[in-house]
Amino acid sequence: MSPYTLPFTELGRHDVAKVGGKNSSLGEMISELAALNVSVPGGFATTAQAYRDFLQRDNLAERIAETLAGLDVSDVAALADAGAKIRDWILSTPFPARLQEEIVSSYRAMCDSGPETAVAVRSSATAEDLPEASFAGQQETLLNVRGAEAVLKAVHEVFASLFNDRAIAYREHHGFDHSEVALSAGVQHMVRSDLGSSGVMFTLDTDSGFRDVVLITASWGLGETVVQGAVNPDEFYLYKPALASGHDPVLRRNRGSKAIEMVYHNRPGGGVETRNVEEERRLRFSIRDEQATDLARQAVIIEQHYGKPMDIEWALDGDSGKLYIVQA
């Protein structure tokens, strides 16, 4: 009987069919790049098999297929109605006992800093024969999830998010069979970037395609504001040849307005809230040049490992001052 959860340390880039692109990539970096000082927070993933077995409960898979058969996704009202109905079915169907037990057990194994370690719960979509499918950003991400009950609820929400309106429409437009796509939930240690900063970096210039720079965006707080485009971040351009030769690689920096930040909420089970950033911090860069240089160094290592340009999420822990790669 294959396990329903797997630690990232046992996963690699060839496990897309098992745990989706996002989670297989996290496992790959933890397994292969830690020795090169690429820091990735640990955790575990639920398997595609766990998701498929869950959909066998109460004939969920059949009911979903019937609801989506013949759905006209250009009819916005019909799409919203079908999506809401399916998500409600998924959320109201209990997990199999074994899946629940494995998630709780894997989460408790992560709780070295107390019984309610904060984790991020992210979706990682898989399509067995469709490695070219791009499902990034379509499903749910839940941050600062604390406690076993909250983690189970978050994984349930991630499973349901495979049928949000945007994801259903995407699969229809691109001719993907809904039943071919499964979901893996990644449960990862949270980096205290609510006390620091975070952002996204690209191993090329996104406007021109120029390959000799790393572009880093950075803003205060958790990275979702940058990922969602809700904030105007700082930008750093770093020159790869200067980085390789040990010279100052920072070509240019632009200070963003950074008007809001996402931080931890203190209610039971965790959660996040968005607040305004005071003017003094808006007028400061959210990372220093040497931190941008360290991020660019890690980005180049990741790009060289994968052999192609990369889109990477990073976070600065405000407690420890350490930089982490949280997704690539």
Side-chain angles (χ1 to χ4, degrees), residues 197-202 206 215-237 252-261 277 281-287 295 312 314:
S197 53
S198 53
V200 179
M201 53 184 172
F202 305 90
T206 51
L215 165 60
I216 300 173
T217 62
S219 195
W220 300 115
L222 302 172
E224 284 301 290
T225 54
V226 179
V227 172
Q228 294 167 0
V231 72
N232 177 21
D234 299 328
E235 291 181 343
F236 293 79
Y237 287 84
R252 187 171 96 222
R253 62 180 86 71
N254 304 322
R255 196 180 69 223
S257 55
K258 305 183 296 293
I260 58 169
E261 65 180 343
V277 175
R281 282 198 301 145
R282 290 187 198 184
L283 297 175
R284 269 196 287 136
F285 281 99
S286 49
I287 53 172
L295 284 170
I312 299 162
W314 63 270

Side-chain angles (χ1 to χ4, degrees), residues 50-189:
Y51 177 80
R52 291 195 175 98
D53 287 355
F54 167 65
L55 287 195
Q56 295 311 307
R57 304 205 93 189
D58 299 339
N59 294 322
L60 266 177
E62 284 175 32
R63 287 152 62 200
I64 290 168
E66 284 170 14
T67 303
L68 295 177
L71 175 68
D72 177 5
V73 295
S74 62
D75 181 339
V76 177
L79 173 63
D81 183 56
K85 186 191 292 183
I86 292 168
R87 292 191 299 273
D88 186 55
W89 287 342
I90 291 173
L91 290 171
S92 60
T93 303
F95 280 158
R98 179 162 77 91
L99 176 56
Q100 187 163 316
E101 286 161 13
E102 287 196 36
I103 291 170
V104 170
S105 171
S106 296
Y107 171 67
R108 293 214 166 114
M110 293 173 68
C111 293
D112 47 12
S113 57
E116 296 206 335
T117 290
V119 294
V121 183
R122 306 175 193 272
S123 64
S124 181
T126 172
E128 226 94 31
D129 303 308
L130 305 167
E132 77 283 359
S134 175
F135 299 103
Q138 287 181 23
Q139 280 84 46
E140 198 67 68
T141 294
L142 296 111
L143 303 174
N144 187 30
V145 180
R146 293 171 177 270
E149 284 304 313
V151 169
L152 285 168
K153 182 172 181 288
V155 172
H156 227 138
E157 287 179 34
V158 163
F159 280 14
S161 72
L162 188 62
F163 294 97
N164 66 38
D165 300 355
R166 181 181 160 205
I168 293 170
Y170 178 91
R171 292 193 295 273
E172 286 286 339
H173 285 313
H174 290 82
F176 296 145
D177 182 341
H178 296 285
S179 65
E180 291 259 328
V181 184
L183 208 64
S184 163
V187 180
Q188 185 181 34
H189 277 291

